[in-house]
Amino acid sequence: MSAWKINTLMNQHFPESDFSKLALVNIEGKPEVLEAILKLSINSEELLISVNRKVGARLSLKDAVNFIQFSMGKAEMRVSNREFTQFVIAAPNCTAVGLN
């Protein structure tokens, strides 16, 4: 699945969220914390990640943690399962939260 297709599907299915009401957790330099957030929020070994319409990927949990850690601070990243029923936001300020 191309980055453009992932981004298009995220735009269609990702829920709106009010950042002022979210309990964001610092994940900078803490891959184990990011992995825990992803595992708690998304019950899937394959994750879709969208950074923008040109950057996105379908990755395993372990690869997704590395991808998000590497891309942190550049843009808001949206993470979902393939069914678009479970979601995580990794914000540009190096924080993340699961949306339930």
Side-chain angles (χ1 to χ4, degrees):
M1 189 177 303
S2 71
W4 180 84
K5 181 66 172 175
I6 292 170
N7 186 60
T8 300
L9 290 168
M10 288 286 189
N11 288 341
Q12 292 172 355
H13 299 286
F14 211 86
E16 294 290 323
S17 55
D18 182 356
F19 275 92
S20 68
K21 296 180 181 176
L22 297 176
L24 295 160
V25 176
N26 183 357
I27 57 170
E28 185 174 15
K30 301 175 185 177
E32 65 282 349
V33 174
L34 174 58
E35 184 174 348
I37 292 170
L38 291 170
K39 281 183 178 179
L40 286 171
S41 302
I42 301 175
N43 187 19
S44 176
E45 280 299 316
E46 188 174 74
L47 305 175
L48 300 177
I49 303 170
S50 176
V51 179
N52 57 44
R53 70 178 194 262
K54 294 182 180 181
V55 180
R58 182 179 64 184
L59 300 170
S60 68
L61 177 65
K62 184 175 176 75
D63 291 337
V65 170
N66 292 332
F67 181 85
I68 292 169
Q69 289 284 312
F70 177 77
S71 303
M72 219 178 330
K74 298 176 183 172
E76 177 181 301
M77 289 174 270
R78 299 177 292 175
V79 185
S80 176
N81 60 352
R82 287 182 55 102
E83 295 79 25
F84 295 97
T85 58
Q86 300 169 320
F87 307 96
V88 169
I89 294 175
N93 65 351
C94 303
T95 59
V97 67
L99 304 174
N100 296 327

